Amino acid sequence: MSEGGLRLEERDDGWVLAGSGAAAFALVDEYLAYLGDRNYSPKTVRAYGYDLLAFCRWLAGEDMTLTAVDTDVLLKFLRACRDARVPGRPGPNVVALSGRRLDRYAPATINRRLAAVSGLFAFRAMRNPDAANPVPKGREARWVASGERTGMLAHTVRRPTRRSVLRLRQPRRLPRPLDQGQAAELLASFHTWRDRAIAGLMLYCGLRSAEVLALGIVDVDIGGRWLQVVGKGERERRVPLDTDVASVIQVYLLAERPETASGRLFIVAKGPNRGRALTAAGLRTIFRYHRGISEITGGHPHALRHTFGTALAEAGVDLAVMQALLGHAHVDTTARYIHLAPAHVKAEFDAARDRMRARP
């Protein structure tokens, strides 16, 4: 795709397009500011900004403006996204087991670009009802599971929205947990109390990596064994704190955590950033190192959370309880773990098989 002289910059008032030709796409700056005003996650605003940057660069390369965009133009843009090569990836002769070339954008990436473009034109239509939205709508997205539209709390169900028919079909993959031996081996490779506490919060409490990093000292009630967690969308929840993890956190606070003015729980212990809050990049570095020494290639932070969710499903924990513990906005996300209960599924399968064979 043509660069078009455009780039994305972060300023005090948010993300904006900069460079030659940016004035022609001022609507993008207004839309990103609107997302910030609506309290969207800074990561979401940044991701949408880069998606719209790719769209505006393509338009500039085609010598087109936003006002000229119709459905045919969007189809051409999506085709260009599918045909584009991702910089830095192996060439066209390297493919995944599914047959997809690794130098191409994944369907999820292209669908996110479409969502950003659709949001941009919906924002324009909101401000100017006479401006048509070139993104065609499709069937309603399924925000609720079967049976949730009725009952005492039916009025609280979020209203479904329509997804564009231009969306690419993308595979629905199940979470990949670690088995018991892998999880134990990965945890055994962590030597500091801080890193053990981080891994324990993910494996035994089901926290996301961002939730772990956002924890403050005041959010951890070691005596009462509770955690006050802020998840996606700034949604708060209370999570029970595992006894062993609580002991590890207590030792970390008493013996290892450096003196600092930061209220965050997990602090950098060494180097030039000593005393500062641990960052996402720092956490990735920690896990990358321990994947290497433990040789557990699937030992990513989110794999520990998946292991926790799978353990709950195999134990037969109620789906609503699992949803509350994991902090999922929708029960369909939690339901994926039900399919990851191989011990329970095999037991039921064997029982059914025995009943069938016992028949005269």
Side-chain angles (χ1 to χ4, degrees):
M1 293 187 186
S2 173
E3 294 296 311
L6 291 171
R7 64 183 184 277
L8 192 69
E9 288 186 357
E10 184 179 18
R11 298 178 182 172
D12 294 338
D13 55 348
W15 292 93
V16 297
L17 292 181
S20 60
F25 303 105
L27 181 67
V28 173
D29 299 342
E30 297 172 7
Y31 175 58
L32 295 178
Y34 166 75
L35 294 180
D37 293 339
R38 289 197 61 197
N39 203 29
Y40 273 63
S41 163
K43 293 181 179 179
T44 300
V45 178
R46 178 180 181 272
Y48 273 30
Y50 277 104
D51 291 335
L52 292 172
L53 172 65
F55 180 55
C56 293
R57 282 176 171 175
W58 181 83
L59 288 177
E62 297 289 319
D63 196 23
M64 298 180 64
T65 62
L66 290 172
T67 56
V69 175
D70 56 17
T71 304
D72 289 337
V73 172
L74 286 179
L75 288 171
K76 288 181 62 178
F77 170 67
L78 294 177
R79 189 180 305 115
C81 290
R82 290 196 299 271
D83 294 340
R85 288 192 58 184
V86 181
R89 289 191 182 177
N93 59 331
V94 182
V95 298
L97 293 177
S98 61
R100 184 179 66 85
R101 283 173 47 176
L102 296 183
D103 64 339
R104 295 287 172 86
Y105 287 105
T109 301
I110 299 176
N111 284 340
R112 194 191 65 196
R113 286 187 174 181
L114 177 61
V117 172
S118 179
L120 175 69
F121 286 111
F123 170 72
R124 186 183 69 175
M126 178 184 68
R127 297 178 56 191
N128 180 14
D130 295 331
N133 190 336
V135 184
K137 300 297 182 183
R139 63 180 178 84
E140 287 187 346
R142 187 182 174 213
W143 286 109
V144 293
S146 178
E148 282 188 294
R149 289 189 182 277
T150 60
M152 185 181 299
L153 300 179
H155 64 283
T156 65
V157 174
R158 183 166 44 165
R159 183 179 180 181
T161 58
R162 292 185 177 274
R163 291 182 173 179
S164 172
V165 294
L166 300 183
R167 284 173 56 89
L168 302 184
R169 296 178 67 89
Q170 58 187 84
R172 294 191 63 181
R173 295 186 176 89
L174 294 176
R176 297 181 181 180
L178 303 178
D179 60 38
Q180 189 173 2
Q182 290 175 325
E185 190 171 350
L186 181 64
L187 257 64
S189 70
F190 290 96
H191 300 302
T192 66
W193 294 106
R194 182 198 67 182
D195 296 349
R196 290 176 186 172
I198 290 173
L201 287 170
M202 297 175 182
L203 181 61
Y204 298 117
C205 301
L207 268 60
R208 302 178 177 93
S209 58
E211 294 170 347
V212 171
L213 295 176
L215 281 176
I217 296 178
V218 296
D219 298 325
V220 182
D221 182 359
I222 295 177
R225 294 198 300 110
W226 284 102
L227 297 168
Q228 190 75 18
V229 180
V230 179
K232 287 185 176 181
E234 300 296 318
R235 291 186 293 270
E236 293 187 358
R237 70 183 189 277
R238 282 170 59 83
V239 178
L241 177 60
D242 179 82
T243 304
D244 294 335
V245 178
S247 300
V248 173
I249 293 176
Q250 188 170 29
V251 175
Y252 160 68
L253 290 173
L254 295 175
E256 193 177 88
R257 186 176 184 272
E259 291 290 336
T260 176
S262 174
R264 291 289 176 87
L265 177 60
F266 296 112
I267 302 297
V268 178
K270 298 178 181 178
N273 293 322
R274 174 182 169 85
R276 296 182 181 178
L278 184 66
T279 64
L283 185 64
R284 288 194 295 268
T285 300
I286 293 170
F287 272 83
R288 188 182 305 117
Y289 171 76
H290 288 281
R291 283 198 302 271
I293 63 176
S294 65
E295 298 183 351
I296 306 297
T297 56
H300 298 271
H302 218 64
L304 296 179
R305 173 176 159 86
H306 289 328
T307 306
F308 173 77
T310 305
L312 294 180
E314 292 182 345
V317 176
D318 183 82
L319 192 61
V321 175
M322 289 178 58
Q323 181 184 5
L325 290 173
L326 292 167
H328 289 150
H330 193 267
V331 71
D332 275 1
T333 308
T334 313
R336 295 184 305 166
Y337 290 100
I338 302 300
H339 304 290
L340 284 174
H344 176 70
V345 171
K346 186 176 184 301
E348 292 295 324
F349 171 79
D350 290 341
R353 178 175 175 274
D354 292 341
R355 286 193 297 270
M356 292 174 63
R357 290 183 178 272
R359 292 176 181 175

